[in-house]
Amino acid sequence: MTGRDLPAAPATVPTLDDVLGVLAGRRLAVLTGAGISTDSGIPDYRGPDSPPRNPMTYQQFVGDERFRRHYWARNHVGWRHMRRTEPNAGHRALARLEAGGVVVGVITQNVDLLHEAAGSRRVIDLHGHYNEVVCLSCGRVIPRARMHERLTALNPGFLESVTEVADVEIAPDADAVIESTEGFRVAACEACGGMLKPHIVYFGENVPKPRVAAAYDLVDEGDALLVAGSSLAVMSGLRFVRHATKTGKPVVIVNRGATRGDELATVKLEAGTSETLSALAEALA
């Protein structure tokens, strides 16, 4: 057998030590996705065990009253579940790393506010968050709790008619998978009568430019970029990985399953975020 015929050596599987070798001594910008919140009981969109999902687009929401009614009925159920979720070990680890001066801040693609609940101080909610509602006509913003009161008044008995939330499948954007939404009444803006929408960025909608600029600044401030629990399937997150790479910063991705940024990563660790981020907090903080 010639050297040319020898089998190739097996590729080395990255470990936590490889991650530490890249991140130790560096200040970290962090980008998180739905995978960091699965241990809090919020399913992700594209994880290995996730069912197929078709999130509602902005065009569907604003262009079709039936889509709007269907969304608000499902959200009316799902919002109660989101309010009860608690941050997990991964969220708390990032808050500890920030308090210790290792993490400069978190950019999150999630709308669940769990980073703030865990104690992170500098958080850019890239896609907004589930706890506010905005009028598309006059721009008025109201608390989601006020919308809940109005929807409950407009639809007496609806929540009671739906299976208990514990038995309803919840989606990452505070949606709930329920079948019948016929007859559900949707609230309009109390100030102008305009269309109300959750204050989150829908598929097909652009992230506000000032928010994007602030996120780029945060990436620039760090010495490395740590991605936790994101498949980077949409450009709103992938662009920060590309930016970090172009500016010569190492990128570490911790995620179960492939991501669109794997080829750009200095290290890709196939692992859960809760245990990995907890171990990083112990080693780096």
Side-chain angles (χ1 to χ4, degrees):
M1 179 179 289
T2 66
R4 191 174 296 176
D5 298 323
L6 291 173
T12 302
V13 178
T15 66
L16 181 65
D17 285 340
D18 296 315
V19 172
L20 288 170
V22 174
L23 300 183
R26 290 187 164 102
R27 300 181 73 220
L28 312 179
V30 180
L31 171 67
T32 68
I36 197 173
S37 293
T38 55
D39 287 345
S40 293
I42 303 174
D44 59 9
Y45 277 114
R46 299 177 183 88
D49 301 319
S50 297
R53 300 186 190 278
N54 294 299
M56 189 174 297
T57 67
Y58 178 78
Q59 291 75 17
Q60 288 172 328
F61 184 89
V62 300
D64 191 321
E65 185 273 335
R66 293 172 301 172
F67 275 105
R68 214 156 40 247
R69 182 191 71 234
H70 194 57
Y71 178 84
W72 277 118
R74 292 158 59 112
N75 183 269
H76 192 41
V77 176
W79 183 72
R80 296 191 304 173
H81 174 81
M82 294 289 280
R83 292 179 68 196
R84 292 200 290 258
T85 57
E86 298 287 341
N88 60 53
H91 299 106
R92 293 191 292 269
L94 290 178
R96 290 201 306 273
L97 286 166
E98 182 186 18
V102 176
V103 164
V104 299
V106 175
I107 306 162
T108 185
Q109 297 172 282
N110 301 336
V111 300
D112 54 34
L113 292 173
L114 292 180
H115 285 296
E116 288 89 341
S120 289
R121 295 183 296 263
R122 186 181 180 189
V123 181
I124 297 174
D125 294 299
L126 197 62
H127 297 154
H129 58 78
Y130 78 97
N131 221 18
E132 290 181 343
V133 176
V134 63
C135 175
L136 297 181
S137 296
C138 70
R140 184 186 187 207
V141 176
I142 63 171
R144 180 62 181 79
R146 173 57 184 158
M147 187 67 167
H148 183 77
E149 293 171 358
R150 296 189 62 205
L151 291 176
T152 299
L154 286 170
N155 301 277
F158 177 79
L159 289 174
E160 292 75 15
S161 70
V162 177
T163 307
E164 265 311 303
V165 172
D167 298 323
V168 173
E169 183 187 348
I170 304 298
D173 55 1
D175 197 2
V177 182
I178 55 178
E179 296 299 325
S180 177
T181 61
E182 291 295 329
F184 190 84
R185 298 177 64 193
V186 177
C189 177
E190 293 175 289
C192 74
M195 184 187 302
L196 293 174
K197 170 185 167 292
H199 209 185
I200 60 178
V201 177
Y202 276 40
F203 286 86
E205 191 177 7
N206 293 323
V207 178
K209 290 182 178 179
R211 201 178 298 166
V212 175
Y216 276 124
D217 288 343
L218 194 153
V219 174
D220 288 338
E221 190 174 330
D223 304 316
L225 176 63
L226 171 61
V227 180
S230 176
S231 65
L232 302 171
V234 293
M235 187 55 65
S236 67
L238 181 61
R239 58 184 156 191
F240 301 115
V241 173
R242 291 179 172 175
H243 179 72
T245 302
K246 287 179 181 177
T247 54
K249 299 178 189 294
V251 174
V252 169
I253 299 176
V254 178
N255 192 63
R256 293 195 188 278
T259 84
R260 284 181 68 192
D262 285 355
E263 292 184 355
L264 300 174
T266 311
V267 175
K268 160 63 188 305
L269 184 65
E270 186 85 18
T273 55
S274 291
E275 58 267 32
T276 302
L277 295 175
S278 296
L280 288 178
E282 289 296 320
L284 299 177

